[in-house]
Amino acid sequence: MAVFPLPQLEDNAVLLPSSQTNSTQPQLCDVWRDIQGAHNWNGLLDPMVPNLKAEALRYGNLAQLCYDAFDCKSYSKNYGTCYHSKRDLFNKMGMSESGYQVTKYVYANTNLLNQVFGEKPKDQGVWLGFIAVCTDPNEIRRLGRRDIVIAWRGTQTAEEWIEDLRDILVPTRLSYRCKRTGKNQEHHFADGVLIERGFLSCYTSTVRHRQGAAGATVNISTRDLVVSEIERLIQVYEKEMDNLSITFTGHSLGAALATLSAYDIKQMLCTKHNFHQIPVTVFAFASPRVGNLAFAKRVEEIGVKVLRFVNKRDLVPKVPGVCMNENVGCLSKLLHWLPWTYFHVGVELPLHNNSPFIQHTHNLAYFHNLELYLHLLDGYVGSKQPFSWSGRDHALVNKSCDLLREKYGKQILNLLRFKLT
């Protein structure tokens, strides 16, 4: 990723070179379980330790990749697909040194996505993300374990969310294949668990999937595709069980699907011998509420660790459940059975819009932009600390919206012109 020289800082911005910031920090391989939320990130968020920030940014970049690699042009013959093959995805997107290998693409087909991206045939899905596994020995040593990552793409704008988030909570019944009998068995882990209907519909939607070397197509749900691939990877790396992690990441709708799929995968792991010990973590950006109080309790009970990054001026994390949510207090708990009483899950990290590089705006959609989230996270030190640039290219916030202050944009444009000449 290209990093331009830092323009003259203003206001209360502070520059702390990464070399000085990280010099006293332990190696990631020694503390990876804490970074993955083994202790709910206690003592790691305020101030934020560099190892955690670097990992959160790394997973955030994978979520952003899902946007950048998606063909959203309705006039394109490949509309709704990924621009690149699984083999070439990281290379073509400038992440050849990620150390990961994509093993499966994830597709979904629901009315929700049809409204957002246009009508498609019933058996066709749109590309929603990927499953990848860390295969590079050097990266495995740096991480301290082999990591399986599931990255989900979200909707494109906040306006689409406002239009789409009009559903209610519905019960979920998810079954898992019993290893001993080979039959699907429905496990009722927690009575009263309710999920937002649009998210559940997206996750359980059926798409036509090409399978095997012969290229035969079968109808398979998005959920079955994800669960079966995770099961396969776990079996492949079963001997590394003590040093294996599963990490989910996503933005907006992708964050909701990351939370829901992490819950589902952890439930599946709980049904299998010795698999329950595999840590499951979610790095969620701008996540809306996903379920009710019973869902939030169950997520915590089974050990899914969720770290939610929230721009304080973003409206999406405030929905659904605007009137009845975890902030209402006792009333929401008394009325938890209502189909519109929502509760957030996990740990929240508020991000402040205190960057000197960002211009003032009244466009609420901009506050939902993932690149802005990553920019604010890059400069985040603590809840009461000024913005401290850590090296991420601040010009990236202008990738899909006009947020960079004009004078910085001119400096970057002049730099590009100079390089081209």
Side-chain angles (χ1 to χ4, degrees):
M1 180 183 298
V3 178
F4 294 103
L6 178 67
Q8 183 66 37
L9 294 177
E10 295 182 340
D11 304 328
N12 60 348
V14 179
L15 176 61
L16 297 178
S18 299
S19 58
Q20 294 180 14
T21 305
N22 294 323
S23 59
T24 60
Q25 291 297 314
Q27 295 293 317
L28 176 61
C29 59
D30 297 325
V31 296
W32 71 266
R33 291 186 182 274
D34 290 330
I35 299 301
Q36 292 293 109
H39 300 98
N40 295 315
W41 297 283
N42 289 331
L44 303 180
L45 298 176
D46 195 7
M48 192 175 204
V49 299
N51 276 332
L52 177 56
K53 179 193 290 190
E55 284 298 279
L57 285 171
R58 186 170 67 88
Y59 287 114
N61 286 332
L62 294 177
Q64 181 62 46
L65 181 150
C66 292
Y67 282 113
D68 297 339
F70 176 65
D71 187 350
C72 60
K73 301 178 179 66
S74 58
Y75 55 82
S76 171
K77 67 177 182 179
N78 297 317
Y79 168 68
T81 65
C82 179
Y83 284 123
H84 311 293
S85 66
K86 295 193 295 291
R87 183 178 60 183
D88 295 334
L89 179 63
F90 288 130
N91 289 334
K92 295 292 186 179
M93 298 305 295
M95 300 180 69
S96 58
E97 298 181 359
S98 68
Y100 285 76
Q101 178 182 345
V102 177
T103 65
K104 184 73 69 174
Y105 275 170
V106 180
Y107 296 84
N109 177 28
T110 68
N111 291 331
L112 173 66
L113 291 182
N114 286 341
Q115 291 174 9
V116 176
F117 300 115
E119 293 295 330
K120 295 185 72 67
K122 288 185 178 181
D123 57 353
Q124 297 295 316
V126 291
W127 185 74
L128 210 57
F130 61 86
I131 301 173
V133 60
C134 186
T135 56
D136 181 70
N138 293 328
E139 182 67 2
I140 292 174
R141 281 193 293 270
R142 188 188 74 85
L143 295 176
R145 86 280 186 189
R146 187 183 298 275
D147 184 45
I148 299 171
V149 64
I150 301 90
W152 295 89
R153 179 184 52 76
T155 48
Q156 301 291 346
T157 66
E159 289 84 358
E160 292 171 344
W161 265 115
I162 295 173
E163 177 64 23
D164 292 326
L165 288 175
R166 295 183 297 176
D167 265 326
I168 61 174
L169 291 161
V170 295
T172 175
R173 292 291 184 267
L174 302 174
S175 63
Y176 307 91
R177 182 171 294 276
C178 178
K179 191 173 183 180
R180 180 177 58 84
T181 64
K183 297 180 179 179
N184 287 333
Q185 297 181 353
E186 191 172 286
H187 294 264
H188 299 276
F189 290 97
D191 292 333
V193 170
L194 302 176
I195 304 294
E196 201 268 357
R197 182 164 57 186
F199 304 148
L200 186 62
S201 174
C202 178
Y203 185 56
T204 57
S205 63
T206 300
V207 296
R208 179 176 291 180
H209 180 66
R210 182 168 293 179
Q211 203 171 49
T217 58
V218 297
N219 290 330
I220 184 172
S221 73
T222 303
R223 185 242 174 182
D224 288 341
L225 188 152
V226 172
V227 172
S228 62
E229 181 63 11
I230 296 299
E231 285 184 314
R232 186 189 71 82
L233 290 174
I234 290 175
Q235 291 174 0
V236 171
Y237 301 110
E238 188 171 2
K239 294 182 179 179
E240 303 176 31
M241 196 70 63
D242 293 336
N243 292 289
L244 185 67
S245 65
I246 304 176
T247 309
F248 294 78
T249 187
H251 169 257
S252 193
L253 168 66
L257 292 174
T259 302
L260 175 55
S261 55
Y263 162 80
D264 188 24
I265 292 299
K266 190 63 174 182
Q267 297 272 46
M268 179 270 290
L269 295 177
C270 290
T271 67
K272 301 182 182 298
H273 182 62
N274 290 333
F275 285 6
H276 66 278
Q277 67 189 27
I278 300 175
V280 175
T281 306
V282 182
F283 289 94
F285 298 85
S287 177
R289 296 183 180 93
V290 179
N292 64 348
L293 176 60
F295 173 72
K297 288 183 175 179
R298 184 58 188 168
V299 167
E300 182 178 2
E301 180 182 329
I302 62 179
V304 177
K305 305 300 181 179
V306 183
L307 182 57
R308 294 182 295 104
F309 298 93
V310 176
N311 185 336
K312 296 186 71 174
R313 299 189 65 181
D314 186 4
L315 296 180
V316 172
K318 296 178 174 61
V319 297
V322 176
C323 299
M324 197 63 64
N325 55 65
E326 70 282 350
N327 297 318
V328 177
C330 296
L331 182 60
S332 62
K333 293 182 179 180
L334 288 173
L335 301 178
H336 66 88
W337 49 271
L338 291 173
W340 52 80
T341 302
Y342 286 81
F343 282 76
H344 264 309
V345 301
V347 178
E348 178 179 309
L349 179 66
L351 299 174
H352 304 276
N353 292 273
N354 60 349
S355 169
F357 304 106
I358 303 303
Q359 61 182 329
H360 298 290
T361 179
H362 297 290
N363 189 329
L364 296 179
Y366 285 0
F367 297 117
H368 186 58
N369 184 272
L370 177 54
E371 284 291 1
L372 176 60
Y373 267 78
L374 298 178
H375 173 73
L376 296 178
L377 175 59
D378 177 70
Y380 179 84
V381 178
S383 60
K384 298 181 180 180
Q385 300 296 319
F387 185 92
S388 175
W389 184 69
S390 298
R392 181 181 176 82
D393 185 357
H394 42 269
L396 290 170
V397 298
N398 266 21
K399 185 185 293 184
S400 59
C401 56
D402 186 18
L403 272 175
L404 192 65
R405 285 190 177 181
E406 185 176 355
K407 70 172 188 176
Y408 296 143
K410 289 181 178 178
Q411 290 182 22
I412 292 170
L413 183 59
N414 291 335
L415 178 63
L416 289 174
R417 287 172 177 170
F418 175 77
K419 288 186 174 182
L420 290 175
T421 58

